[in-house]
Amino acid sequence: HSNTSIGFKNPELGIGKPNIYGDLKTYEGESSLQKFMTNRISAANTQGCQYVIIDITKNTESDLKTILKRRLCGEISPDQNKKIKQIVFIKGKKTNIISRNQIYNRDFSSLKGII
């Protein structure tokens, strides 16, 4: 856990190398999953994170595939949330990673097992 105030607004995790940060966002069902993802991806970008770790274990919405594809394409674009390089999804015991380039190319094969 990083508590630095220089250049980052308290990102949660140091990942791999120095100065590579990620932020864990856990969905608790407090809003729609779409709204949650929009807000949390934007917040992680504002914090200077390159990774967003999104735990969707508690999701109860039925069309998860459509929701994730729509939000990823909407939030990770050449004009939005430019600092985010990868998104890690956690669903129960499964973990999948999708890169910015995969989202640009509409390649969601790395999310197999989650969607």
Side-chain angles (χ1 to χ4, degrees), residues 80-104:
Q80 284 191 292
N81 300 309
K82 296 177 183 180
K83 294 176 186 167
I84 305 298
K85 304 294 182 215
Q86 293 189 330
I87 298 178
V88 179
F89 284 99
I90 300 169
K91 185 175 181 192
K93 294 184 179 185
K94 295 180 182 180
T95 304
N96 296 66
I97 300 172
I98 189 165
S99 71
R100 185 174 199 88
N101 285 334
Q102 286 174 301
I103 295 167
Y104 287 167

Side-chain angles (χ1 to χ4, degrees), residues 34-86:
Q34 288 189 63
K35 186 175 181 178
F36 172 84
M37 287 183 59
T38 296
N39 292 337
R40 299 314 185 266
I41 290 171
S42 176
N45 185 71
T46 300
Q47 289 176 283
C49 295
Q50 293 180 15
Y51 289 79
V52 183
I53 300 94
I54 301 176
D55 186 342
I56 56 171
T57 300
K58 293 184 180 179
N59 173 63
T60 59
E61 296 185 40
S62 59
D63 198 4
L64 184 59
K65 183 176 186 176
T66 300
I67 292 169
L68 292 185
K69 286 181 176 182
R70 183 177 295 147
R71 281 303 86 217
L72 289 172
C73 291
E75 299 308 315
I76 304 298
S77 69
D79 298 328
Q80 284 191 292
N81 300 309
K82 296 177 183 180
K83 294 176 186 167
I84 305 298
K85 304 294 182 215
Q86 293 189 330

Side-chain angles (χ1 to χ4, degrees), residues 1-3 8-15 20-26 44 47 49 51 53:
H1 184 85
S2 174
N3 288 318
F8 293 97
K9 295 182 181 177
N10 196 24
E12 297 288 336
L13 307 166
I15 297 177
I20 296 180
Y21 296 99
D23 198 24
L24 174 63
K25 307 294 186 180
T26 303
Q47 289 176 283
C49 295
Y51 289 79
I53 300 94

